[in-house]
Amino acid sequence: MTGLNNDTRETIVIAFERRELIALERLGDDLALLAASEVLSDTFKLARELGTFTATTVAEQLRITAPNANNRLKRLVAARALVRRCGVAERGGKEFTYSVPEMACTREEAVRGPAQTRHSRSTEPTRDGSFVDVRTSEPDA
């Protein structure tokens, strides 16, 4: 989400908390989670510091179990606060890597359309005139 004023942000936080949902807000060159628990906020902060990482790395850094780390990362991926990619582990088998998504496009880029931008995104106006970025495809690997 982008362009939220304090009233809109507060309304979204209340609505999302009631539904146990999370939103990702773009604040200039920064990203922030809305309606997230302290646990998920801490995990997202670590994710931003690490860049690209595995669930094992998160578990070790936060001193939590691997299943707990996986559950946190799963919720952040569902909220599109993280991107998950499947790879092959050194010892064989699947291994997922995670990263923070690229910054959402600007309103001007969204208006130009997907043919002129790297990712297909659009914006939807809210009642107060702010805009919410809507991703319609995953970023290129």
Side-chain angles (χ1 to χ4, degrees), residues 45-108:
K45 180 180 176 184
L46 176 63
R48 295 194 60 210
E49 292 171 7
L50 293 173
T52 300
F53 56 91
T54 64
T56 303
T57 305
V58 169
E60 291 169 355
Q61 292 282 325
L62 296 176
R63 297 182 179 159
I64 58 176
T65 64
N68 190 342
N70 278 313
N71 289 335
R72 292 181 187 193
L73 296 173
K74 182 179 178 180
R75 293 209 49 213
L76 292 170
V77 168
R80 294 190 179 192
L82 294 178
V83 175
R84 181 177 83 167
R85 292 185 178 84
C86 185
V88 178
E90 290 179 14
R91 292 176 260 158
K94 290 182 186 177
E95 180 177 62
F96 294 102
T97 57
Y98 299 85
S99 60
V100 176
E102 293 180 23
M103 295 295 276
C105 62
T106 65
R107 180 173 175 233
E108 292 76 24

Side-chain angles (χ1 to χ4, degrees), residues 23 26-27 47 54 96 109:
R26 179 174 136 179
L27 301 166
T54 64
F96 294 102
E109 289 170 334

